[in-house]
Amino acid sequence: MGPVSIKANAVIASPGGTASVNLMKRALWVAMTVLATLVAAYTAAVLLIPGFGPPFIAVRRAAMPVALMAHLGGALVALAVGAWQMNARLRARAIGIHRWMGRTYVVGVLVGGLGALRMAVVSEQGWMTHVGFGLLAVLWLITTARAYVAIRSGNETLHRAWMIRSYSLTLAAVTLRIYLPLSLAAGIPFASAYPVISWLCWVPNIALAQWLVWRTPATISAVGAQQSHAA
């Protein structure tokens, strides 16, 4: 038995702190879902109410209405639906709903991601934001596609790992709306803050997602099984 398998067994078998860990996970899921829903509602308002939102939205609406509607519409669907895809209880009790919500999420990311790619090239404050938001859109599409391919091939463990990565990038819409007002409250000019936030809103998210993936007992077990099979 290799060290990875020993670690997996230890994590799975250890009963200590299980209740508190589950409570903390539930609280974090609730907080994530509330924030995602609020941002989705705000995005719907920007999409549907003329004149609502930051001034540059009106400019984009006039210059590239299809890209704007695709990005906002797809993103708000992915935000609202994706949080529930992270709910293990829903997945266990209503697998049919989980699957249909998953399909809806994939379509939302596809539409929103393609719109985001078009919007990235005209984002505010120059090339740094163009690259930051453009790379976010590319990785958003790739991670979601990998999650879809994994579940179509029957690999649930790999599917969940890629979905965690995908939704961490979807949540860039939330973290951006946290960092931006904080930077303005701190007195940092928008022109200085926005290029940094175009990276800060998603790089820590995907790094945390990767850390969570590698801490998941199922992922550890899958890696251990692959190594044992290879040996």
Side-chain angles (χ1 to χ4, degrees):
M1 182 180 291
V4 175
S5 299
I6 293 172
K7 182 178 180 182
N9 291 336
V11 170
I12 295 170
S14 175
T18 301
S20 60
V21 168
N22 288 339
L23 183 61
M24 182 172 64
K25 285 181 179 179
R26 191 172 301 118
L28 289 172
W29 178 83
V30 169
M32 176 190 73
T33 304
V34 169
L35 288 172
T37 303
L38 288 173
V39 173
Y42 168 80
T43 305
V46 172
L47 180 63
L48 298 174
I49 303 174
F52 187 83
F56 76 87
I57 290 294
V59 177
R60 300 291 181 269
R61 196 188 299 272
M64 48 183 66
V66 174
L68 178 70
M69 288 188 291
H71 176 52
L72 295 180
L76 77 86
V77 168
L79 270 172
V81 171
W84 293 96
Q85 292 301 92
M86 299 292 112
N87 189 299
R89 288 186 177 184
L90 177 64
R91 186 167 60 245
R93 296 178 182 179
I95 188 63
I97 294 176
H98 175 80
R99 287 170 178 165
W100 275 106
M101 291 181 78
R103 295 183 184 107
T104 303
Y105 177 83
V106 170
V107 172
V109 173
L110 176 62
V111 174
L114 292 176
L117 280 174
R118 177 67 183 95
M119 298 284 290
V121 299
V122 293
S123 55
E124 301 289 305
Q125 306 308 317
W127 69 268
M128 188 172 177
T129 59
H130 300 344
V131 177
F133 287 132
L135 188 56
L136 166 59
V138 169
L139 292 176
W140 195 27
L141 290 166
I142 289 174
T143 53
T144 307
R146 293 293 299 269
Y148 179 76
V149 170
I151 199 61
R152 293 295 296 173
S153 62
N155 192 329
E156 293 185 6
T157 299
L158 194 59
H159 168 70
R160 289 172 189 170
W162 281 108
M163 272 300 297
I164 289 170
R165 297 181 182 107
S166 171
Y167 197 61
S168 76
L169 296 174
T170 304
L171 288 173
V174 174
T175 48
L176 182 145
R177 286 164 179 83
I178 293 173
Y179 296 141
L180 189 55
L182 286 177
S183 68
L184 296 177
I188 303 173
F190 177 82
S192 300
Y194 201 59
V196 176
I197 291 173
S198 70
W199 293 82
L200 186 64
C201 70
W202 65 269
V203 173
N205 291 17
I206 193 67
L208 177 60
Q210 186 61 33
W211 179 74
L212 290 173
V213 165
W214 283 108
R215 285 190 74 253
T216 302
T219 304
I220 298 171
S221 299
V223 174
Q226 289 177 354
Q227 290 183 349
S228 298
H229 180 74

